[in-house]
Amino acid sequence: MPANPFNGQTDYGIGIGLRVPHYAHILEQKPVVDWFEIISENFMVDGGRPLEVLDDILEQYRVVQHGVSMYFGSADKPDRTHLKKLKALVKRTKTPWLSDHLCWGSVDGTYTHDLLPMPYTFASAKHTAEKIKMVRDYLEVPICVENVSSYAEFHVSEMTEWEFLTEVVERADCGILLDVNNIYVSAQNHGFNPYAYVNGVPHHRVGQMHVAGHTKFEKYILDTHDHPVLDPVWKLYAHATKLCGVTATLLEWDDKIPSFQEVHDEALKANEFIDGAKQAPRKK
Amino acid sequence: MSRILATGLKAPPPHAPRRLATTADVLKLQRLMTHLLVRPLTKQDGLQPTWIDGRPTAAVAAEFIKSNDRLTSFERLQLYNRMYWFRLLDIMHDDNPGLRALLGEKKFTRLTEAYLAKYPSRSFTLRNLGSRLAQFIREQPRLTAPHTALAHAVTRFEWAQTVAFDEGAHPGLTAADLKRTPPARLKIALQPYLSLLALDWPVDDYVIAVKQRDALRGAASNAVDSARVVPRSRQVARPRRGRIYLGVHRYHHRLFYKRLERPAFLILTALAAGRPLASAVTAGGRGVKPAQVSGWFATWMELGWLCRR
């Protein structure tokens, strides 16, 4: 979906994650990049070098915030300090939308710093949606929730993952950050059809997409973000783009990070699939 | 296996809920899984085979996690257990090069495993993961014996660097501020990013030497993390006892460690404690000359250390 309420009516193109090894290159060479995604938590500090770099980036580039620790699915209430710091950052970056994961990761104020899979039940969907609404109302910015890759499923689940995602975003009236690599990884780990997933989500709510590389092991696949996007993921991305329309897309590369140019070139491969989607009529 | 109990986590339910009808049920499930994830790994980096109530962990996992044709419930949970520990131990490894060099890799890993088992993260950011390590070293001296005091000093110094890197800053004190308020009433604060440390070893020199050695090793080899055990010939000698006074701070967004004279340190400490300027200056002792104090204040103001309270 190009501009929609869930990405702040923007029409961003292809972006990459802002990562420390690329700071010097970006600040000195000022390469042309449509937008950068920042990990919110890396800049939710009170001062010093992180904020200096961020301010320099903000002078020249469009930035979108992506969080890793809001834990919409945790039974805990949102942490007030966290919310205050996040709001200060939202004001600083003027991010048109903000994303975080459809997962849990904290209990009783203890943080695992992992993106743990949700039990796909109506009770957890209801609680999660309430939390998303609460956070959105406080931050006053549209929110997109991202599907995570997972390695475990719960007996108590009452629906598929994409039904759960749909239940949550419809209840919260929020957007989706559709991570097609995560769909592929989870599909391989749990044995479902990734195309059924992409077909099953409300396409008009997709405000952003993620692509990334993963690593295959003998019995499972890990979402490692440490190399180029694999062909099956690009194909799934092409399919998703046909259904959702041309959508702000970001390549995640978080480990064994190569040169800026290599990461950016990999991200720009998305253009090949976007061109295909532009020619195809979009399904409602 | 660590017998230290995790701080902050409430007790897990005896069994996983059979269905999730309410948020309270969701909480029970999440509490149980969190307890399983934060349990220290076995020596073989696996999920512990026995749960806290004596049942096989495999039976506990099977109660709430599905198996598939490739992995059992236990194996699926183990993936998350490993990812939790590997991620957090990596952070501790990167944030504490000096302590790691001092203790050696094995002892450092044992210490940080025990630390994280007792003090799992209570913050949304990994930046704060090591905030209680110095306290833990004092609580569990056997884990760093016979160098506990030195380990404590190095840890305080390394945490001060985290603080100096990204803690907040207030507008600096100006000459006009000093003129405007009589010294007897003027209360001066120190920047939040500045840490004052009185240490019994020159740990600044030690940590610099460790970082230089590590940088050289990194530049000399393309091997990926090939030498976790450092040969004795490349070990940095432990520092000899010697009292130092340090200000760990940043200047133009770069980290610095500034050695301080004892009277200067005492004056700064008094300011940090909230004493008015005139009173704080006396904390330096009788031997301090006014010209010295003026010089120190000029330097501190230039460095931006001082702000209004």
Side-chain angles (χ1 to χ4, degrees), chain A residues 4-278:
Chain A
N4 68 25
F6 311 111
N7 58 25
Q9 302 293 353
T10 58
D11 56 354
Y12 286 16
I14 297 165
I16 61 171
L18 181 67
R19 300 292 180 263
V20 175
H22 296 155
Y23 283 179
H25 177 86
I26 296 165
L27 294 173
E28 286 163 18
Q29 306 295 321
K30 302 181 179 23
V32 175
V33 182
D34 196 53
W35 58 287
F36 282 109
E37 186 182 79
I38 62 164
I39 302 297
S40 298
E41 286 76 3
N42 291 348
F43 300 94
M44 286 161 65
V45 293
D46 294 328
R49 174 85 175 139
L51 294 182
E52 184 202 27
V53 170
L54 178 61
D55 288 343
D56 286 347
I57 294 288
L58 287 168
E59 275 183 20
Q60 300 163 58
Y61 295 99
R62 305 192 288 192
V63 163
V64 175
Q65 284 181 226
H66 180 56
V68 294
S69 63
M70 184 51 73
Y71 297 139
F72 291 124
S74 282
D76 284 355
K77 286 183 179 167
D79 177 82
R80 300 295 298 179
T81 309
H82 186 173
L83 281 176
K84 274 188 182 174
K85 283 181 181 273
L86 188 55
K87 184 154 187 172
L89 188 63
V90 165
K91 284 184 176 170
R92 193 178 202 115
T93 65
K94 299 181 177 62
T95 184
W97 76 95
L98 177 143
S99 60
D100 207 312
H101 299 83
L102 183 55
C103 70
W104 66 280
S106 60
V107 170
D108 301 327
T110 291
Y111 287 75
T112 65
H113 300 285
D114 202 349
L115 308 172
L116 300 172
M118 294 294 301
Y120 307 134
T121 70
F122 289 100
S124 49
K126 187 180 169 194
H127 170 77
T128 304
E130 286 303 317
K131 205 160 161 181
I132 292 168
K133 283 196 275 189
M134 196 188 306
V135 172
R136 181 186 54 212
D137 292 347
Y138 181 80
L139 297 179
E140 299 176 292
V141 67
I143 286 178
C144 289
V145 292
E146 177 184 352
N147 56 293
V148 297
S149 51
S150 66
Y151 316 103
E153 296 172 296
F154 297 100
H155 289 304
V156 289
S157 286
E158 297 159 352
M159 58 191 103
T160 65
E161 185 185 335
W162 56 95
E163 286 167 345
F164 180 76
L165 172 62
T166 303
E167 182 74 17
V168 169
V169 297
E170 295 289 354
R171 278 177 178 269
D173 190 19
C174 71
I176 297 172
L177 193 178
L178 195 68
D179 188 318
V180 290
N181 179 60
N182 287 349
I183 293 173
Y184 182 80
V185 168
S186 294
Q188 296 299 308
N189 287 337
H190 305 311
F192 64 76
N193 179 353
Y195 288 85
Y197 192 127
V198 172
N199 294 342
V201 298
H203 304 128
H204 67 287
R205 289 190 180 274
V206 176
Q208 185 191 335
M209 291 191 199
H210 269 173
V211 288
H214 58 253
T215 305
K216 284 186 181 182
F217 293 89
E218 190 187 341
K219 294 183 174 179
Y220 54 89
I221 294 184
L222 279 184
D223 181 27
T224 46
H225 295 186
D226 63 353
H227 54 252
V229 182
L230 277 81
D231 280 345
V233 174
W234 280 128
K235 284 179 186 161
L236 192 61
Y237 171 74
H239 181 70
T241 304
K242 278 178 191 164
L243 295 176
C244 303
V246 178
T247 305
T249 296
L250 182 118
L251 169 74
E252 293 183 298
W253 202 321
D254 299 316
D255 205 1
K256 299 177 194 164
I257 301 175
S259 70
F260 172 88
Q261 200 54 52
E262 195 173 331
V263 173
H264 197 209
D265 287 348
E266 181 66 18
L268 293 175
K269 284 182 189 171
N271 277 322
E272 298 167 24
F273 305 98
I274 286 172
D275 289 343
K278 279 178 181 166

Side-chain angles (χ1 to χ4, degrees), chain B residues 205-225:
Chain B
D205 290 344
Y206 176 70
V207 172
I208 288 168
V210 168
K211 286 182 176 175
Q212 284 173 343
R213 180 206 64 187
D214 290 350
L216 187 65
R217 208 171 57 197
S221 169
N222 288 326
V224 178
D225 211 10

